[in-house]
Amino acid sequence: MSARSADLAAVSIPLTLLWVTVAILRRAVVISNQGHFVYALDDPYIHMAIAKHLVSHGVWGVTGDGFGSASSSLVWTSALALVYRIVGASAEAPFVMALLCATGLLVVAYLLLRQVGLPRVYTSMLLVVLIYLTPLPALVFTGQEHILHML
């Protein structure tokens, strides 16, 4: 196996585990909520409302009527508004953003671990530990900025 394919395997195995775990959990969430994807907390809905009104009315607030500083994360809500501007408002946008941040986190962690000279097999094992002990899949389902902070 070439060094390049060994590097690809060392990062793609943990990434695959993350995505498969998230896919299984997402299916369970949808099944347990009569076919709807929902968040367990109200925070992502607050971020989504502010982002939607920022895009549609130019107002930072949970309603389009006026300013309301209800967001706990200016950067996350602004990024969500940018996503809404590009692809339209979607209840799953914060989930997808968090999943992409989790993917980025694993790639950055991989690069840092390889930079310090850790063998590929240990690097891959540490990434799996990172996935399940953080717990990264559960954080994806919050639809919030926590993984972005880690990244």
Side-chain angles (χ1 to χ4, degrees):
M1 181 182 283
S2 71
R4 185 170 173 90
S5 61
D7 279 335
L8 184 59
V11 72
S12 63
I13 291 169
L15 285 173
T16 301
L17 283 172
L18 171 69
W19 280 69
V20 167
T21 302
V22 168
I24 291 168
L25 292 172
R26 186 194 177 285
R27 184 173 190 277
V29 165
V30 170
I31 287 171
S32 64
N33 290 290
Q34 294 77 41
H36 300 283
F37 181 82
V38 296
Y39 298 98
L41 302 171
D42 64 345
D43 295 52
Y45 296 104
I46 294 168
H47 295 302
M48 288 188 289
I50 293 172
K52 181 179 78 173
H53 293 297
L54 185 60
V55 169
S56 60
H57 303 293
V59 174
W60 185 279
V62 291
T63 68
D65 299 330
F67 175 79
S69 182
S71 175
S72 59
S73 176
L74 302 176
V75 173
W76 187 258
T77 305
S78 298
L80 183 56
L82 179 63
V83 169
Y84 280 5
R85 170 73 72 193
I86 295 169
V87 298
S90 164
E92 291 197 40
F95 167 79
V96 172
M97 289 170 56
L99 181 57
L100 292 175
C101 286
T103 301
L105 176 67
L106 289 180
V107 170
V108 168
Y110 171 78
L111 293 172
L112 290 173
L113 291 169
R114 290 297 296 145
Q115 187 175 13
V116 297
L118 196 64
R120 288 178 193 92
V121 67
Y122 296 127
T123 299
S124 193
M125 289 168 50
L126 277 174
L127 293 178
V128 172
V129 168
L130 176 67
I131 291 168
Y132 295 110
L133 290 185
T134 13
L136 208 49
L139 289 172
V140 167
F141 282 90
T142 66
Q144 295 183 72
E145 70 279 1
H146 306 303
I147 302 170
L148 181 62
H149 289 259
M150 293 178 0
L151 182 59

